[in-house]
Amino acid sequence: LVATTGVDGATRVWDLRQPAQVWSVRSQASASCLDCKASSHHLAIGRVDGQIAMLDIRTQKELPGFDVRVPLGLQAHPRSLSFSPCGMTLSVGCVGGELLMRDINQP
């Protein structure tokens, strides 16, 4: 599977064996980055409004996300995402140089 996202707010998941789009999710806000951790079945999407959306790639259901502006301030906007090797920690790099590391199981 491959995931893509962009300024139209759509995140699409593709199966390259077919090749075909498997599913998609849309948001009002443009997406700026994403990361996927296949072993933990998580897809994280960073949006320009500061929101980090989390999805389960097996069930295509939205999981609890978070807003980077809450701990970092209103000027924080995600620029890059990276799951840890274990898949339980998500690092969020922001436009202003801020770095947030978050346990994805924490509310």
Side-chain angles (χ1 to χ4, degrees), residues 4 8 19 29 35 48 58 64 66 70 72 74-75 82 86 99 104:
T4 61
D8 64 352
D35 192 28
V48 296
R58 293 173 300 180
F66 59 95
V70 172
L72 299 177
L74 294 177
Q75 300 303 317
S82 181
C86 71
L99 176 65
I104 63 169

Side-chain angles (χ1 to χ4, degrees), residues 45 50-55 62-68 102 104 106-107:
I45 306 162
Q51 295 292 319
I52 305 295
M54 300 288 296
L55 296 123
E62 192 158 351
L63 303 170
F66 59 95
D67 189 337
V68 299
R102 176 144 176 157
I104 63 169
Q106 186 179 38

